[in-house]
Structure formats: structure tokens, C-alpha cells
């Protein structure tokens, strides 16, 4: 995965969210300690961190404090999400595939950071939608690519987006196996041992 994937995730999320600027962004996201506003602030922070982590290398030694103000106006939150996604995309595209950056689940390559940024944006836009009692539906091919990169042991099934939500613990999925104690495979796919990780 590369920067275009991150930009595509941001574009589909922003299209959905911009049409709902007039909604109540202070409502709670069911089952989470987030409001719509705070979950989208959180979704922006991930791509920002991934940009810094990829540039910084594999050591966890930086002293940054990266944050997005959840109390900001909805339009400012969307501007932050857009900027964070595009900064991450630029960082991913500027690095060769051999580059590695810090992540607690394993030193990630640019493809891993791109997939994580997509997951943050797409899954948390789903969370925001549930706060409004609505349904967010991104493209299935992008969802399939994210699933294959971060969860290579997980079959996409008939609907890769539902499968991606399921492995993140967001929905029920009849007949699904594996999943729920999710852990991303952030290191290059060439380092995957062809086994599903233990839950937890």
C-alpha cells in the first residue's frame, strides 16, 4: 500500500463527514469512550504519528506530543484529518520500501504505515457514523487491501469491509473465524510466518 491508498481513505471519509457538518458531533459513540468529535480527533492523530514514526526510524526515542483538539469545530476537525492523511501519504511515498519506523506491534515499512493510516481513518469514520445511527460504506477494494496488509491470515469473505470491521471488534460476522483479539501485522509481509497471532 502507498500514499494513494491513504488519500483515497481520507477522501471517502471526508465526503461522508462533510455532508454531516450540521449534525451533533458531541453525541457518544455506542460502546466506546468517545464522542463523534473525539473519535475523529483520534483518527487524525494516528496518521500524524505514523508520519513521524516512519521518518524517525525504529527507535522509540522521540519527545513529541502530538494531539488534535476534540473540542474544535467540526470543520476544523475535518481539516485536521485531511492534513494528517496527506502528510502521512507524502511520508509514505518519500520512503523506499526498505525503510522501517517504530510501531509497538513491530517495526513497520511504508506499506504498513499506509495500511494503518487507512484503518484508523476508515474504522473511526465508521465509529462516528454509528454515533449518528448511520452506516459508513467505503470502497470494498480499499478495505480488502487494508485487511490483506494488516491481517494477512484473515480471509476477506464475501464483504471485505465487514471483515475489516469484524477483526477490529466493531461488528458481528456470522461464520467468521480468528479475528477478535486483533493485532496488526505491521512489519513487512515478507516477515509474516504464515500463522495467525495469538489473541490479546
Amino acid at each position: 500500500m502507498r500514499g494513494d491508498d491513504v488519500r483515497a481513505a481520507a477522501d471517502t471519509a471526508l465526503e461522508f463527514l462533510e455532508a454531516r457538518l450540521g449534525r451533533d458531533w458531541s453525541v457518544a459513540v455506542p460502546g466506546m469512550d468517545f464522542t463523534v468529535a473525539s473519535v475523529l480527533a483520534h483518527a487524525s492523530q494516528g496518521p500524524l504519528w505514523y508520519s513521524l514514526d516512519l521518518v524517525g526510524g525504529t527507535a522509540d526515542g522521540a519527545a513529541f506530543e502530538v494531539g488534535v483538539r476534540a473540542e474544535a469545530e467540526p470543520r476544523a476537525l475535518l481539516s485536521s484529518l485531511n492534513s494528517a492523511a496527506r502528510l502521512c501519504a507524502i511520508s509514505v511515498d518519500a520512503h523506499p520500501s526498505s525503510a522501517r519506523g517504530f510501531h509497538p506491534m513491530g517495526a513497520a515499512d511504508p506499506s504498513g504505515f499506509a495500511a494503518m493510516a487507512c484503518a484508523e481513518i476508515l474504522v473511526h469514520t465508521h465509529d462516528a457514523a454509528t454515533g449518528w445511527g448511520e452506516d459508513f460504506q467505503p470502497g470494498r477494494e480499499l478495505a480488502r487491501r487494508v485487511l490483506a496488509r494488516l491481517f494477512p491470515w484473515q480471509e476477506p469473505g464475501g464483504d471485505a469491509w465487514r471483515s475489516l470491521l469484524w477483526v477490529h471488534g466493531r461488528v458481528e460476522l456470522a461464520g467468521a473465524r480468528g479475528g477478535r483479539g486483533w493485532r496488526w501485522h505491521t512489519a513487512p509481509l515478507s516477515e509474516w510466518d504464515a500463522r495467525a497471532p495469538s489473541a490479546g
Side-chain angles (χ1 to χ4, degrees), residues 1 50 105 108 111-120 143-154 164 167-168 182-187 189 192 197:
M1 300 191 74
Y50 302 152
M105 293 186 189
S111 174
F113 282 115
M116 287 187 283
C118 290
E120 294 278 3
R144 185 196 64 76
R145 289 166 57 76
V146 175
L147 186 70
R149 178 58 186 83
L150 297 179
F151 302 90
W153 53 86
Q154 189 66 49
L164 186 63
V167 293
H168 284 98
W182 71 269
R183 181 179 176 84
W184 287 336
H185 179 81
T186 55
L189 284 175
W192 179 45

Side-chain angles (χ1 to χ4, degrees), residues 20-101:
R20 290 157 179 81
L21 284 169
R23 300 292 301 271
D24 183 358
W25 287 49
S26 68
V27 297
V29 175
M32 301 180 74
D33 294 327
F34 282 113
T35 64
V36 167
S38 63
V39 82
L40 292 173
H42 176 80
S44 300
Q45 288 177 193
L48 279 177
W49 271 115
Y50 302 152
S51 302
L52 294 169
D53 288 337
L54 180 53
V55 169
T58 57
D60 183 22
F64 292 110
E65 289 187 13
V66 176
V68 178
R69 294 181 295 106
E71 70 276 11
E73 291 296 317
R75 192 171 294 281
L77 291 173
L78 295 192
S79 177
S80 299
L81 179 61
N82 182 54
S83 297
R86 277 153 177 76
L87 180 62
C88 185
I90 290 168
S91 180
V92 164
D93 288 342
H95 286 80
S97 60
S98 59
R100 302 290 284 271

